[in-house]
Amino acid sequence: MDFKRIPILLGSFALLTSSTCFAADNLKEMFSQGSVNGELRSYYYDRDFDSTQKEREDYATGGLFGYKSAALKGVSFGVTFATVNDTGSSDGKAVYGLLPKDQNGNHDSVTRMQEIYVQGQWLNTTLKYGGQMINTPFMNGNDIRLLPKSYKGASVINKSIPNLELQGYFITGYMGWADDDYMQVSDSAAKTADENKPMLIGGAKYKLPVNVLDVSAEGWLYSMSDVMDMTYYKVTAAKQLGDFKLSLEPTYFTQKSKGDELAGNLDSDQIGVAAGASAYGVSLNAYYAKTGDTNLLTPWGDSRVINQQVLASQFAKEEAIAAKIGYDFGQLGLKGLSAYVLYGVYNAPEINGKTTDANEMNYNIQYDFGKNFGGILDGFSVRARYAVIDNKDADDYTDTRIYLRYTFALAGK
């Protein structure tokens, strides 16, 4: 890795979607009082196998740049441009996935329309139509590459009842990390070859109005004709006891194919729990997950119980455990600096003489310059991650990731 190239990686633009816009009285104010939010990103990803399997490497610069108008009579507009560009990746190495591939399979670049939508807000309800980034447990931005995923369709979010949030989605299009345009959403799960199968989503999130504990619960339904039905449930509970904070998150979800089973036979579930304790800058977390009879289908981002840098709890009849210890160096006066290590073990029965048994060790360190310096460095952060993956019946490998990010926001007049 040539670290001398890192400074030149701060290149394009990116949107952080939530921003506050003023209310406008006319069309001129609607656009002059809009806001601009963005994020510049420069990432380096490398995967090095112990065997002769080809090493993967992407050196990419880009991000998102977005504009949202002020609201006029509750109506506003938003647009986001996104770009990811090759910054000298070696074509002697395979494409990792930050960048698209050209017709020869080499590293390429792409600029695209990440979002373009019209939004209406009335009576504690937000309606949005068009290309947009959404956030549900199993359909979201899945922001682990240089560009997040995006979706086309309609959404509605209602907050009329105190402590209750209701959400609904009708999704027809999907755009992955390095795609240049939307595809049919069902084609991202299976090559249907005929008409599109939209994804229907309904969800509810409720925060219990109690003081003794901080407790919230959420439930979701997903349905795609001739592909699958899915349910998802999670409870989050936290309690502050003096300097100590305790947390517990039980999760359960199901997936079951239906109709023509265009994505194959799905008949699975996952049950698990995450528990945590923190005090004096130290955090301890433990995880357990057990998966049902078939592999999980997760092409649009997910909320599996265990998600590491590379591996996750996802394979048929798999049991997985993980433990994490982290430290916030702000306790020592180094505000913005934090680190953690995370170790996971995955065990599954043999299928045709092979198993997906594996373990993964993660090392993570990151620094947010804005928390210590402010000014022009506010919004700038750097992060380094390293993973060691040992597979029982497959190649072992290491995975390295470097992130440079700079976020900014410009309000309207």
Side-chain angles (χ1 to χ4, degrees):
M1 185 195 319
D2 183 2
F3 289 99
K4 293 181 181 179
R5 289 187 288 173
I6 288 179
I8 69 172
L9 291 182
L10 291 174
S12 292
F13 300 99
L15 173 72
L16 299 179
T17 52
S18 57
S19 62
T20 301
C21 294
F22 298 96
D25 294 324
N26 52 57
L27 282 174
K28 180 181 178 181
E29 291 182 355
M30 183 181 191
F31 293 100
S32 66
Q33 294 182 358
S35 64
V36 172
N37 285 344
E39 184 164 305
L40 308 176
R41 298 180 172 188
S42 296
Y43 290 1
Y44 174 84
Y45 278 30
D46 177 87
R47 183 167 296 180
D48 190 5
F49 296 89
D50 286 353
S51 70
T52 57
Q53 189 171 166
K54 195 173 185 179
E55 184 178 352
R56 304 175 191 173
E57 180 194 73
D58 282 5
Y59 222 162
T61 297
L64 309 100
F65 178 83
Y67 169 81
K68 184 179 180 182
S69 74
L72 177 62
K73 307 298 184 183
V75 178
S76 60
F77 300 90
V79 61
T80 305
F81 295 95
T83 183
V84 55
N85 301 279
D86 182 20
T87 317
S89 305
S90 171
D91 280 332
K93 300 178 181 180
V95 176
Y96 190 110
L98 296 179
L99 296 162
K101 297 178 182 180
D102 65 16
Q103 59 185 4
N104 297 317
N106 295 323
H107 300 82
D108 204 359
S109 304
V110 66
T111 297
R112 70 192 194 188
M113 187 75 76
Q114 182 79 10
E115 292 185 297
I116 181 166
Y117 61 84
V118 58
Q119 177 176 293
Q121 289 183 289
W122 308 279
L123 302 175
N124 297 310
T125 302
T126 301
L127 304 170
K128 187 182 288 187
Y129 178 77
Q132 56 190 284
M133 288 183 281
I134 68 174
N135 186 25
T136 79
F138 275 82
M139 184 169 273
N140 52 61
N142 198 200
D143 197 8
I144 59 174
R145 297 292 188 265
L146 197 136
L147 298 182
K149 298 174 179 178
S150 183
Y151 303 87
K152 182 184 292 184
S155 64
V156 56
I157 299 176
N158 177 268
K159 299 180 181 180
S160 296
I161 301 174
N163 302 313
L164 177 65
E165 180 175 299
L166 301 174
Q167 299 188 26
Y169 300 86
F170 181 84
I171 302 299
T172 59
Y174 163 80
M175 187 161 53
W177 291 306
D179 295 331
D180 60 1
D181 204 352
Y182 292 97
M183 68 177 76
Q184 294 186 155
V185 67
S186 51
D187 285 351
S188 59
K191 297 301 181 182
T192 57
D194 52 12
E195 78 275 7
N196 193 14
K197 312 288 184 180
M199 174 70 86
L200 304 177
I201 307 172
K205 302 167 73 173
Y206 184 68
K207 187 179 187 304
L208 272 66
V210 296
N211 295 323
V212 64
L213 282 175
D214 185 5
V215 182
S216 61
E218 58 185 298
W220 296 83
L221 299 174
Y222 299 78
S223 182
M224 182 180 288
S225 177
D226 288 324
V227 177
M228 72 168 184
D229 285 331
M230 181 175 182
T231 63
Y232 175 88
Y233 309 98
K234 184 174 80 169
V235 174
T236 301
K239 176 67 175 179
Q240 192 76 40
L241 296 172
D243 293 326
F244 291 83
K245 184 177 181 179
L246 307 177
S247 64
L248 190 69
E249 286 189 358
T251 300
Y252 177 70
F253 60 86
T254 67
Q255 285 189 343
K256 189 170 182 61
S257 55
K258 65 177 183 177
D260 293 339
E261 296 187 335
L262 296 175
N265 177 48
L266 300 170
D267 188 8
S268 197
D269 61 2
Q270 187 168 108
I271 188 168
V273 64
S278 62
Y280 310 113
V282 178
S283 60
L284 302 172
N285 298 88
Y287 310 85
Y288 170 79
K290 181 176 177 58
T291 306
D293 292 337
T294 60
N295 294 345
L296 299 174
L297 178 68
T298 60
W300 313 289
D302 66 273
S303 293
R304 292 168 292 193
V305 176
I306 300 175
N307 277 296
Q308 292 193 253
Q309 182 169 323
V310 177
L311 303 180
S313 50
Q314 64 178 345
F315 291 117
K317 300 181 180 179
E318 179 183 72
E319 282 194 81
I321 58 172
K324 177 181 178 182
I325 180 169
Y327 187 69
D328 180 356
F329 289 88
Q331 297 291 314
L332 301 177
L334 298 173
K335 294 181 180 179
L337 180 64
S338 62
Y340 70 77
V341 293
L342 171 61
Y343 182 69
V345 178
Y346 304 82
N347 292 298
E350 289 188 357
I351 299 176
N352 298 323
K354 290 190 175 183
T355 179
T356 58
D357 284 4
N359 60 72
E360 176 177 351
M361 174 65 85
N362 297 160
Y363 304 92
N364 179 94
I365 186 167
Q366 58 198 69
Y367 185 59
D368 184 342
F369 287 81
K371 290 186 177 180
N372 210 30
F373 297 101
I376 193 172
L377 292 177
D378 191 19
F380 178 59
S381 64
V382 59
R383 182 183 186 190
R385 304 174 75 190
Y386 184 73
V388 180
I389 294 88
D390 293 319
N391 291 298
K392 182 177 180 180
D393 290 330
D395 290 339
D396 299 334
Y397 55 92
T398 60
D399 191 87
T400 303
R401 304 181 184 185
I402 307 289
Y403 310 76
L404 299 176
R405 303 174 72 161
Y406 182 74
T407 63
F408 63 89
L410 304 172
K413 296 179 180 179

